[in-house]
Amino acid sequence: MNGPGDPPEGTPEGPQGGGEEEYRSVVFDESFVRAARLQEFSARERMDDHAPAVRTRHAWARVSASRQVLLLVMLIALAFGTAVYMGLRHPYKEPRPPAAEPLHIALVPLAPRDPVPGAASAKDLFDNSPAAQFRDGAEGVTLPAARRTQNFSESLVMAALATAKEYTVKSALDPAVLTGGTQRTVRLLLAPSQLAQFDRSLAHPAADGRYAATGWLIRFDPAEVALADRTVRTQGTFTITEASPAALEVSSDHTFVYAVRPAKGPQEASLFTVRRTMHFRFDRDDLQEHHVQVLQSRLQAGPESCAANDAAYLRPLLAGQKADPAAAPAGTDPYAGGENTARVCGALAPSAQPSPPRR
């Protein structure tokens, strides 16, 4: 009879503990278990002393500090360069100024019907002439109020007017220019594109509507005419318009009255009157560089003989002289090619001459 601890079938065959022997290779010993013992930290310990077991690392965090600074500098430089490029190369093109044009000149002598009146005193002649109410010199070259236009500021409009006035004063009132002296002050005001035409007009003047020296400035032959008074009576106006988004144009209309006398011989004075209308243009470069483009110049001058055809100087009839009644403008052939050089001549109204001064 088997004991109470034996199974009914008896002791199993094979060595005792056969099942334990099968898993003995995967049973952990006590030292391994103690070494692998897990310790759970308190909430405070986890917050203060221990980082999380798993940390998410972003791409930016993997870049070193020096590379971060370099990338930031490059981004700032790229943004700044883009802003500058867009500011300079905006989609709207700057309007281009009109192409420079040569000066067009028209000279009309005014011949008197009677001998030219004269007097010993230039002041007496002025006071008894239509120029009695004119102002002296540059005081008569007045400017209108400057107002901004659609594309030009008030300061640019004023710059155009001021340069036009400066050209008017230096080309028609400067005694050195009037007596055939230096023309450098006038030349310095011209746009570079017109310097060649100006230089040729002074070196080789021609009455062809392009190269008359008197189209640029007013002057008398010092060998024949002298100023009886350095003061010139002046009256006139300026008008300004915006010709295009790239250019301003100024028109001037002035009357100048000069007291002249012979350079030699009798010294009696007489008056010589010039009405000059001019058309100026200013682009933005001209305004910045203090230059002017002179587009048109038209003079009516007298007393002068219709036969006077000198493009270098104005040749007034002096006191006691009279125009040749036989002189007439030169004819022109309308079938001939080339420049039309016919010279127009007008009659100087008696009212334009001074009344004989009272004795």
Side-chain angles (χ1 to χ4, degrees), residues 179-252:
T179 55
T182 179
Q183 294 86 36
R184 185 173 181 272
T185 55
V186 178
R187 188 180 190 276
L188 289 175
L189 291 174
L190 293 174
S193 59
Q194 291 192 311
L195 293 179
Q197 184 185 7
F198 177 83
D199 292 340
R200 178 175 170 181
S201 299
L202 272 293
H204 306 286
D208 58 358
R210 288 289 187 274
Y211 299 104
T214 48
W216 300 93
L217 45 84
I218 295 175
R219 65 176 187 170
F220 307 106
D221 186 351
E224 298 181 3
V225 179
L227 295 176
D229 193 323
R230 293 172 65 89
T231 300
V232 181
R233 297 293 179 92
T234 310
Q235 180 174 279
T237 60
F238 291 99
T239 57
I240 186 166
T241 58
E242 182 179 306
S244 72
L248 291 170
E249 292 188 356
V250 177
S251 297
S252 69

Side-chain angles (χ1 to χ4, degrees), residues 8 24 56 77 80 130 150 164 177 194 202 205 249 252 317 336-337 343:
R24 185 177 296 277
T56 302
F80 181 76
Q150 182 176 356
V177 174
Q194 291 192 311
L202 272 293
E249 292 188 356
S252 69
L317 295 172
R343 187 174 175 86

Side-chain angles (χ1 to χ4, degrees), residues 87-102:
L88 295 178
R89 296 292 301 273
H90 53 76
Y92 302 101
K93 295 182 178 180
E94 286 289 337
R96 299 183 62 182
E101 300 178 10

Side-chain angles (χ1 to χ4, degrees), residues 23-105:
Y23 295 100
R24 185 177 296 277
S25 61
V26 295
V27 174
F28 300 110
D29 61 16
E30 184 179 357
S31 63
F32 180 84
V33 172
R34 283 199 302 270
R37 182 171 56 88
L38 297 176
Q39 180 182 358
E40 183 177 356
F41 295 98
S42 67
R44 174 60 61 184
E45 289 174 331
R46 289 196 300 269
M47 292 177 62
D48 295 342
D49 300 329
H50 300 278
V54 179
R55 181 182 302 169
T56 302
R57 299 191 66 189
H58 299 283
W60 182 258
R62 292 195 294 269
V63 181
S64 65
S66 60
R67 291 185 177 180
Q68 292 180 20
V69 173
L70 179 60
L71 288 174
L72 182 61
V73 171
M74 292 177 64
L75 287 174
I76 294 174
L78 179 62
F80 181 76
T82 302
V84 172
Y85 177 82
M86 293 301 294
L88 295 178
R89 296 292 301 273
H90 53 76
Y92 302 101
K93 295 182 178 180
E94 286 289 337
R96 299 183 62 182
E101 300 178 10
L103 172 62
H104 299 266
I105 302 169

Side-chain angles (χ1 to χ4, degrees), residues 234-300:
T234 310
Q235 180 174 279
T237 60
F238 291 99
T239 57
I240 186 166
T241 58
E242 182 179 306
S244 72
L248 291 170
E249 292 188 356
V250 177
S251 297
S252 69
D253 186 351
H254 290 84
T255 300
F256 308 100
V257 184
Y258 305 89
V260 295
R261 60 175 177 80
K264 301 176 182 179
Q267 299 299 308
E268 197 169 38
S270 61
L271 297 185
F272 185 75
T273 304
V274 175
R275 180 177 179 181
R276 185 175 74 170
T277 57
M278 304 196 78
H279 196 68
F280 307 101
R281 177 182 292 161
F282 300 87
D283 60 32
R284 295 184 184 274
D285 290 339
D286 295 329
L287 294 173
Q288 182 178 359
E289 298 172 6
H290 196 60
H291 287 156
V292 59
Q293 302 174 41
V294 188
L295 303 184
Q296 294 180 356
S297 175
R298 178 179 174 85
L299 275 73
Q300 297 176 341

